[in-house]
């Protein structure tokens, strides 16, 4: 490990925080002050201080028998994003699901000495590590418990904020039952395979999103664990990934990539550095046969050219499928679709039409995400894509762009 003094670590911390402020990742003075205060490298002894203070770098702290990270200190950018979403205030009672120590210490700085911070994890090794590091670095007041958070946070009152730092497929009732009136839940929620850090406000028996940001986390363990299903094609070279649902006749796709490819381009472009997370969520919302396609890097023959080889937006329709692709033209990229199967052209056209619809009506708008109890009748849900999970019915609702603009104007007038 690099022999870096605390003075050098302080310089690294200052530079990291400054970079996040300049990039708009940190937007409030209080979150900025917390990052300047917490000695992140002391909560990530598995890495060099230089690595610990890299804005985009998570630090794995425990791996399973396959070498896959099952616990980590989240990247500073992700921590800052979620803390800004949570808007922690002095004196609040707050809790964290997923213990690393570092994020809990940032939360402790934000709620102050009059606030209460509780962090929980299902893994006793993880909580023992967090307890040790918190005690060693001046945060003994943070409460640490080993528990499956599916059943709630022990030994705490009504929570003003609950931040979940593990990828969740569902929202158990205990999390909302423990929120105070006006409480907020910030959770990396997986919806049709896409993960978004959603800041939900409690509104009666439902949750309503205030913001949703792209993110990635190690998956939830215990009672809340949920595994996606894979449909393997061409041996194991290509996999279709399903978070919910499954093809009616998966055998119909055998040999689909041996058919002639159809190629259709949308005319919709983005700058090479421009994010298009809204398009991803729109396609997940609009397409009944939505799934993700991945290509095994060790087995890749180059047959397919998806926009993203680890999680490409795709459309399945019976024995045919299409995936999103791109072609570059200078500093811009155009979206298109490659289709395969007996209806290759039609399925590719259907995917392209939704890309065009997003560009026309939703490019500058964001969806509202609702979480209702799973028993809520369909007739009582708002319009949108309904995803029924074990505990919740998630609704992704998109306003038209003109409606979104009217709503923004009305809010400004208020």
């Amino acid at each position: 490990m690099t022999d870096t003094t605390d003075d050098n670590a302080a310089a690294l911390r200052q530079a990291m925080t400054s970079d996040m402020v300049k990039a708009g990742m940190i937007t409030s003075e209080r979150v900025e002050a917390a990052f300047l205060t917490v000695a992140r490298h002391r909560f990530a002894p598995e890495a060099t201080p230089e690595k610990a203070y890299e804005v985009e770098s998570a630090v794995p702290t425990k791996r399973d028998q396959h070498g896959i990270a099952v616990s980590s200190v989240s990247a500073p950018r992700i921590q800052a994003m979620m803390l800004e979403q949570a808007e922690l205030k002095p004196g609040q009672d707050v809790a964290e699901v997923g213990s690393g120590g570092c994020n809990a210490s940032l939360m402790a700085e934000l709620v102050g000495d009059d606030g209460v911070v509780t962090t929980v994890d299902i893994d006793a090794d993880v909580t023992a590590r967090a307890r040790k590091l918190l005690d060693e670095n001046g945060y003994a007041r943070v409460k640490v418990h080993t528990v499956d958070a599916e059943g709630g946070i022990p030994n705490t009152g009504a929570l003003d904020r609950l931040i979940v730092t593990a990828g969740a497929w569902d929202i158990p009732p205990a999390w909302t039952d423990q929120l105070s009136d006006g409480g907020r839940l910030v959770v990396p929620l997986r919806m049709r395979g896409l993960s978004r850090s959603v800041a939900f406000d409690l509104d009666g028996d439902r949750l309503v999103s205030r913001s949703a940001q792209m993110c990635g986390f190690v998956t939830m363990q215990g009672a809340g664990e949920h595994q996606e299903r894979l449909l393997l094609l061409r041996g194991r070279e290509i996999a279709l990934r399903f978070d919910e649902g499954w093809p009616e006749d998966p055998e119909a796709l055998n040999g689909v990539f041996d058919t002639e490819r159809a190629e259709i381009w949308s005319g919709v472009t983005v700058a090479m550095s421009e994010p298009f997370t809204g398009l991803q969520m729109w396609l997940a919302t609009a397409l009944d046969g939505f799934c993700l396609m991945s290509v095994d890097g060790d087995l890749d023959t180059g047959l397919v050219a998806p926009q993203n080889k680890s999680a490409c937006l795709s459309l399945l329709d019976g024995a045919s499928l299409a995936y999103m692709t791109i072609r570059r033209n200078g500093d811009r990229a155009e979206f298109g679709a490659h289709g395969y199967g007996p209806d290759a052209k039609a399925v590719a056209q259907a995917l392209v039409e939704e890309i065009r619809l997003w560009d026309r009506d939703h490019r500058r708008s964001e969806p509202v995400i609702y979480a209702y109890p799973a028993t809520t009748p369909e007739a009582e849900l708002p319009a949108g894509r309904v995803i029924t999970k074990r505990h919740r019915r998630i609704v992704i609702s998109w306003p038209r762009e003109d409606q979104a603009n009217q709503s923004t104007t009305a809010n400004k007038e208020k």
Side-chain angles (χ1 to χ4, degrees):
M1 181 177 288
T2 304
D3 183 18
T4 306
T5 66
D6 278 351
D7 285 345
N8 287 335
L12 292 169
R13 186 159 59 253
Q14 174 69 57
M16 173 198 72
T17 306
S18 177
D19 288 346
M20 290 198 291
V21 170
K22 290 175 183 176
M25 300 171 186
I26 293 176
T27 57
S28 66
E29 293 182 358
R30 295 185 65 251
V31 171
E32 178 184 4
F35 272 90
L36 288 171
T37 301
V38 172
R40 177 180 170 84
H41 66 291
R42 296 181 187 169
F43 290 93
E46 297 83 359
T48 65
E50 289 82 1
K51 187 69 175 177
Y53 285 106
E54 289 181 359
V55 169
E56 298 286 351
S57 292
V59 177
T61 58
K62 185 176 181 178
R63 298 182 184 273
D64 65 13
Q65 66 270 30
H66 305 295
I68 298 172
V70 294
S71 184
S72 65
V73 178
S74 299
R77 177 184 70 82
I78 295 294
Q79 290 177 324
M81 177 186 74
M82 297 184 80
L83 291 172
E84 292 287 8
Q85 286 183 298
E87 296 183 316
L88 303 183
K89 296 179 174 60
Q92 286 185 328
D93 193 336
V94 302
E96 173 193 39
V97 174
S99 299
C102 184
N103 198 60
S105 64
L106 290 164
M107 293 169 67
E109 290 294 333
L110 288 165
V111 301
D113 291 341
D114 293 332
V116 178
V117 179
T118 304
T119 182
V120 304
D121 200 282
I122 196 172
D123 191 325
D125 292 339
V126 172
T127 52
R129 177 187 178 280
R131 178 74 279 162
K132 177 177 180 292
L133 293 175
L134 287 163
D135 289 347
E136 290 176 351
N137 291 286
Y139 296 96
R141 67 185 184 277
V142 174
K143 298 188 289 184
V144 181
H145 297 293
T146 305
V147 66
D148 187 339
E150 180 86 358
I153 312 300
N155 303 321
T156 187
L159 294 170
D160 298 298
R161 300 288 188 269
L162 175 58
I163 301 177
V164 181
T165 59
W169 181 77
D170 204 352
I171 301 172
W175 293 358
T176 47
D177 290 346
Q178 287 188 266
L179 284 180
S180 62
D181 291 340
R184 183 173 301 173
L185 168 68
V186 180
V187 55
L189 185 63
R190 207 163 80 234
M191 298 163 286
R192 309 202 85 192
L194 303 181
S195 290
R196 296 291 184 270
S197 174
V198 186
F200 283 113
D201 282 348
L202 187 62
D203 178 27
D205 67 349
R206 69 177 188 172
L207 293 162
V208 183
S209 69
R210 290 179 57 91
S211 65
Q213 301 289 336
M214 189 172 180
C215 66
F217 279 88
V218 297
T219 57
M220 189 73 66
Q221 300 177 52
E225 184 177 359
H226 179 86
Q227 298 292 335
E228 65 181 3
R229 298 180 67 184
L230 301 180
L231 177 58
L232 300 176
L233 302 171
R234 287 180 58 86
R236 300 179 63 87
E237 179 187 356
I238 298 170
L240 300 183
R241 298 164 48 189
F242 297 88
D243 207 32
E244 294 97 5
W246 187 249
E248 289 186 9
D249 183 11
E251 298 296 324
L253 289 165
N254 289 338
V256 67
F257 288 107
D258 297 328
T259 64
E260 184 177 356
R261 185 176 82 184
E263 182 173 291
I264 300 178
W265 295 97
S266 67
V268 177
T269 67
V270 292
M272 294 303 297
S273 59
E274 181 183 349
F276 51 92
T277 56
L279 173 58
Q280 296 169 344
M281 188 58 73
W282 169 253
L283 294 180
T285 305
L287 300 172
D288 288 339
F290 178 84
C291 63
L292 297 173
M293 185 180 81
S294 60
V295 181
D296 188 312
D298 294 331
L299 303 175
D300 186 6
T301 63
L303 173 69
V304 294
Q307 175 269 326
N308 180 333
K309 289 193 175 185
S310 61
C312 184
L313 311 174
S314 303
L315 171 61
L316 177 63
D317 186 2
S320 302
L321 66 86
Y323 62 80
M324 191 167 78
T325 188
I326 59 170
R327 60 183 178 186
R328 298 186 178 187
N329 182 10
D331 62 350
R332 298 192 69 80
E334 181 184 2
F335 297 115
H338 288 166
Y340 291 87
D343 297 314
K345 185 174 181 180
V347 72
Q349 186 67 47
L351 181 54
V352 162
E353 286 304 318
E354 291 300 339
I355 293 172
R356 290 171 177 160
L357 187 60
W358 166 78
D359 181 57
R360 187 190 72 197
D361 292 341
H362 303 295
R363 185 163 184 152
R364 284 163 290 277
S365 63
E366 294 292 336
V368 178
I369 302 170
Y370 301 90
Y372 285 80
T375 55
T376 306
E378 193 92 18
E380 296 179 15
L381 299 174
R385 166 65 60 175
V386 179
I387 307 169
T388 300
K389 300 176 181 283
R390 178 185 172 197
H391 301 301
R392 303 286 170 176
R393 303 195 81 179
I394 307 298
V395 184
I396 307 171
S397 182
W398 286 81
R400 284 178 55 91
E401 203 161 277
D402 53 357
Q403 295 171 333
N405 291 338
Q406 290 172 6
S407 177
T408 300
T409 301
N411 288 335
K412 287 181 178 179
E413 290 175 351
K414 289 179 182 178

